[in-house]
Amino acid sequence: MIINTSKKYFINSFSIILLEITLVFFALTLITNLFEEINFLKDMNAPGYYPVLLAFLNTPSILIEILPFIFLISTQFLFIKLSDRNELFIFKYTGLTNRKILSTVVSFSFLLGILLILGFYNFSSKLKSQYLEIKNHFTSDNKYLAVITENGFWIKDEIDETISITNAEKINNELLIKVSIVQFDKNFNLLQSINSDEVNIKSKNWVIKNATISKDNISKKVESLNIKSNFDLEKINNLFSNLSSLSLFKLNRLKKDYKSLGYSTLDISAYEYKIYSLPVYLTIMTLLSGIIMFNSKYKKSKIINIVFGIFVSVVIYYINYFSSLLGINQKIPIIVSVWLPLIILILVSLIGLVRLNEK
């Protein structure tokens, strides 16, 4: 009975601290975003509340990124609180070991991580999608569009008062495969259509090989043709790089569309693994933070403990970032790039668990 009551107490205390730390990070992120949106909209004719609206829509997706570090710092504050009140010593006299205390908080972090993926992530992705949609209206690229559907890759482009609608069956490295380009004037009167087996889009000066041009019911073939575009391979890749605006269901659907188009799914796979591994990541960060606090024996000042926690967070962030780069560049398998840092952290944590009850 005492153990069950103590577990509820630890969970309630951790939940309150976690909420408080999350609100602090939310406020800091919101303020930072607010300044960025004000700077972005300063020369545009936008309602005065738009910077605040955009900042609110964008902040939840950023919180998803920093959740592991929120959990680490929250765990530190939990054990600082328990130490200040001498509650750890009291619970030890009731039969609770350090491992039991830590396992309660760690287990709660794992379950909470699952709920965050199922609920908060999908919620934040919808807000991010709205954020990008609203912001797109204020960019110079608003008249351009690129989408991937089950019917292939589509681009709507406008340059020199010529509107081009491009459809490609596949993307293979720098090439669009089996391409159809229909061009209109600004009043949408048909100018010409161009068909080709491949178009090189490495630069914004597209190179069309063995093109068939149809104009005024007359067709002719040319060996090579160059047309200007607002799109190149880099810009197209960037258009589909903001995966945080997609729910888990939309990520899976986009991945299928990419495969059918022959487009690389490495970025999507890496992002999916990252989201699915979040509960484990949060669990490890909670465990690692608890071990750090137990091993410090609370002899250090609170500021030193928090600064050390932030330092550990930064180191872990760069380890994850470097590992993800290796995966995206295909130096190591994608799944290894996501799980390798976590495995390293687990091993470090297991070492720290040795003789934890003696601390």
Side-chain angles (χ1 to χ4, degrees):
M1 186 66 180
I2 294 177
I3 294 178
N4 290 334
T5 303
S6 62
K7 285 182 178 180
K8 291 179 181 178
Y9 177 76
F10 292 137
I11 291 173
N12 289 337
S13 298
F14 185 57
S15 299
I16 293 171
I17 292 173
L18 189 61
L19 179 60
E20 292 173 346
I21 299 297
T22 301
L23 290 175
V24 170
F25 274 91
F26 181 88
L28 292 174
T29 306
L30 182 64
I31 292 171
T32 303
N33 279 337
L34 184 58
F35 284 118
E36 290 181 0
E37 302 306 336
I38 290 173
N39 185 60
F40 175 78
L41 296 169
K42 64 181 180 181
D43 298 323
M44 301 179 188
N45 186 22
Y49 65 87
Y50 261 49
V52 177
L53 174 62
L54 289 173
F56 265 106
L57 291 175
N58 192 37
T59 298
S61 64
I62 298 177
L63 278 183
I64 289 287
E65 298 291 328
I66 60 176
L67 269 177
F69 313 116
I70 291 176
F71 271 68
L72 185 144
I73 293 173
S74 297
T75 305
Q76 284 187 301
F77 273 100
L78 171 65
F79 285 103
I80 288 173
K81 173 187 173 182
L82 295 175
S83 176
D84 287 345
R85 297 181 178 182
N86 291 321
E87 291 175 338
L88 286 174
F89 296 104
I90 296 173
F91 283 117
K92 283 182 181 179
Y93 284 121
T94 64
L96 284 175
T97 62
N98 290 341
R99 283 202 184 110
K100 287 182 180 179
I101 295 171
L102 189 55
S103 65
T104 299
V105 182
V106 167
S107 300
F108 176 71
S109 295
F110 180 75
L111 293 175
L112 188 56
I114 294 175
L115 294 176
L116 287 171
I117 287 179
L118 298 177
F120 186 68
Y121 171 75
N122 288 315
F123 171 73
S124 69
S125 67
K126 290 181 180 179
L127 295 184
K128 185 74 171 186
S129 179
Q130 290 294 317
Y131 167 80
L132 294 174
E133 184 177 340
I134 294 173
K135 202 164 184 178
N136 183 55
H137 291 299
F138 296 97
T139 63
S140 58
D141 289 343
N142 189 36
K143 59 184 177 181
Y144 314 134
L145 178 67
V147 295
I148 291 177
T149 71
E150 58 185 9
N151 296 319
F153 179 68
W154 294 84
I155 294 176
K156 175 182 177 290
D157 194 6
E158 183 177 339
I159 194 166
D160 296 332
E161 296 189 348
T162 298
I163 301 171
S164 299
I165 307 295
T166 302
N167 174 235
E169 185 177 296
K170 289 182 178 294
I171 297 179
N172 184 14
N173 296 324
E174 300 171 353
L175 302 176
L176 295 180
I177 307 299
K178 294 190 181 298
V179 184
S180 173
I181 303 173
V182 182
Q183 295 184 318
F184 304 87
D185 63 20
K186 61 181 180 180
N187 296 316
F188 279 92
N189 296 312
L190 179 63
L191 297 177
Q192 65 181 7
S193 64
I194 304 170
N195 291 280
S196 174
D197 286 336
E198 65 177 45
V199 177
N200 190 303
I201 58 171
K202 183 178 180 180
S203 69
K204 293 183 179 180
N205 185 32
W206 290 9
V207 180
I208 306 175
K209 297 292 185 181
N210 300 318
T212 300
I213 303 174
S214 299
K215 185 177 182 181
D216 298 328
N217 295 321
I218 299 175
S219 296
K220 66 176 182 178
K221 292 187 176 182
V222 294
E223 186 176 338
S224 181
L225 174 68
N226 289 23
I227 64 172
K228 293 181 180 180
S229 174
N230 289 295
F231 291 88
D232 56 12
L233 182 62
E234 181 180 358
K235 183 171 182 178
I236 290 171
N237 287 335
N238 289 336
L239 286 172
F240 301 110
S241 63
N242 205 323
L243 301 175
S244 61
S245 63
L246 301 176
S247 65
L248 296 175
F249 172 76
K250 289 182 178 179
L251 277 172
N252 185 56
R253 187 172 64 186
L254 182 64
K255 189 175 182 180
K256 290 180 179 179
D257 290 339
Y258 273 29
K259 286 181 178 179
S260 66
L261 191 60
Y263 199 63
S264 173
T265 61
L266 284 175
D267 287 343
I268 299 179
S269 296
Y271 190 75
E272 281 185 322
Y273 285 131
K274 178 181 175 181
I275 294 300
Y276 293 138
S277 66
L278 184 60
V280 177
Y281 195 1
L282 298 180
T283 301
I284 294 172
M285 294 297 274
T286 302
L287 176 61
L288 186 61
S289 179
I291 291 172
I292 290 172
M293 297 305 291
F294 275 121
N295 281 277
S296 71
K297 297 183 179 180
Y298 312 101
K299 292 180 180 179
K300 300 176 182 177
S301 70
K302 296 178 184 178
I303 295 178
I304 292 178
N305 280 315
I306 299 303
V307 169
F308 183 70
I310 294 173
F311 172 76
V312 170
S313 299
V314 172
V315 171
I316 292 172
Y317 171 82
Y318 279 107
I319 291 174
N320 276 314
Y321 179 74
F322 179 72
S323 182
S324 65
L325 284 181
L326 291 178
I328 292 173
N329 293 324
Q330 302 185 52
K331 301 297 183 182
I332 58 176
I334 284 292
I335 190 169
V336 174
S337 71
V338 173
W339 286 100
L340 181 60
L342 299 183
I343 292 173
I344 293 173
L345 291 175
I346 290 174
L347 293 176
V348 171
S349 299
L350 289 176
I351 294 172
L353 283 174
V354 177
R355 300 174 65 182
L356 182 66
N357 287 334
E358 299 177 11
K359 303 297 181 180

